[in-house]
Amino acid sequence: MSPIADGVFWVPMHQARRILLLAPIVALLHGAPCVPAAEPSPESRLQQAIRLSERRSYDESLAILQPLLPVVEKGNDAALHARVLFFTARAHYFKSDYRTALPLLERALTASRTAREQPFEATVLRAIGRLHKQQGTYREGLRILDEAIALYAKLGDAREEAGAWMTVGAIHDLTGNFEQALTAYERARAGLQTVKDAEYYTLFN
C-alpha cells in the first residue's frame, strides 16, 4: 500500500479528502493507469431520484429525472421508461404542478402498456385518477379510476383496489354525492378486511 493510501487512516479528514482527489494524478506520475469512474446506470440514477423524492426533495429528484428521460427514451426498455416518466410526474404532482404531471402520467400509461406491465399500469391509472381529483376534473377521474379498479380486480390486488375505491369515495364526497361516496368507502373497507390491512382499515372504523 502506498504512503498516500496509508495516510488516509491518520490524517485529518479535510487533508484526507485532498489526498483522495490527488490520488489519480499521483498514480499517473508513477505510471499507473487511471481508470475513470463508471457512469451510473439509468436504473441507479432512477433509484437515487426516488430516494430524494421520498425525502420530499422534489427539485433535486427532478434534476436527475429530467435529463434521464431522453436517455431512457432512446433505449428499448419500455418498463424503465414508464417508471422514469411516472416518478417525474410524481415529483411534479407533489409540487402541485398538475398541468405538467398529467401528460407525463399519460405517457407513462402508454409505456407501461407497451411493456405489458399490468401491475404498474394499474398504479399509473390510479395516480391519474388522484390527479384528476386534485384538479377538480372529477368525471374524468372517475372514468380512469373505474379502469384502475377493474385492473386491480383482475390482478387480485385487493389492497390497491381498496385504495382506488377510497379515491372514488373522495370524489363523490367533493361533488356532494354522499350515498355514492358511502358505497365506495364500504367497498374499500370490505376489500381491506380481506387482506387484514390494519393500517388502512383503521381509516374506516
Side-chain angles (χ1 to χ4, degrees):
M1 188 176 287
S2 70
I4 287 179
D6 289 341
V8 173
F9 293 97
W10 61 267
V11 297
M13 183 59 70
H14 70 280
Q15 291 184 25
R17 290 196 188 99
R18 288 184 198 149
I19 291 169
L20 290 172
L21 289 171
L22 290 171
I25 299 171
V26 175
L28 283 174
L29 291 173
H30 286 79
C34 184
V35 180
E39 181 74 18
S41 69
E43 181 64 44
S44 66
R45 290 163 69 185
L46 173 60
Q47 293 305 317
Q48 182 184 2
I50 291 171
R51 287 192 294 271
L52 287 166
S53 188
E54 287 171 348
R55 297 201 297 266
R56 300 183 182 181
S57 300
Y58 301 120
D59 289 328
E60 293 176 55
S61 180
L62 287 169
I64 296 170
L65 290 165
Q66 287 173 330
L68 182 57
L69 259 178
V71 174
V72 298
E73 283 171 354
K74 293 176 184 176
N76 297 316
D77 191 338
L80 177 61
H81 186 202
R83 281 160 43 224
V84 173
L85 284 164
F86 176 81
F87 284 104
T88 304
R90 185 178 182 274
H92 284 293
Y93 173 90
F94 282 111
K95 286 165 59 69
S96 299
D97 185 0
Y98 306 133
R99 183 173 295 183
T100 301
L102 182 56
L104 289 166
L105 284 173
E106 289 170 341
R107 288 168 61 194
L109 182 60
T110 300
S112 66
R113 286 171 173 167
T114 300
R116 298 182 180 180
E117 293 275 352
Q118 287 195 323
F120 195 70
E121 178 187 344
T123 297
V124 178
L125 284 167
R126 184 181 168 199
I128 294 172
R130 289 179 62 189
L131 189 150
H132 280 296
K133 177 183 77 72
Q134 291 299 107
Q135 66 179 12
T137 44
Y138 300 129
R139 182 176 296 180
E140 186 64 14
L142 290 172
R143 185 188 69 78
I144 291 288
L145 288 163
D146 280 346
E147 290 187 50
I149 287 166
L151 189 49
Y152 281 131
K154 176 184 174 182
L155 296 168
D157 192 337
R159 185 183 190 277
E160 295 305 318
E161 182 184 345
W165 276 115
M166 284 193 287
T167 307
V168 170
I171 290 175
H172 286 308
D173 255 341
L174 290 165
T175 55
N177 297 316
F178 302 122
E179 287 188 15
Q180 290 171 289
L182 182 59
T183 298
Y185 290 140
E186 289 291 347
R187 293 290 297 269
R189 182 167 65 175
L192 292 172
Q193 282 179 311
T194 65
V195 295
K196 297 181 173 59
D197 191 320
E199 181 181 353
Y200 265 27
Y201 187 72
T202 53
L203 295 172
F204 302 96
N205 291 278

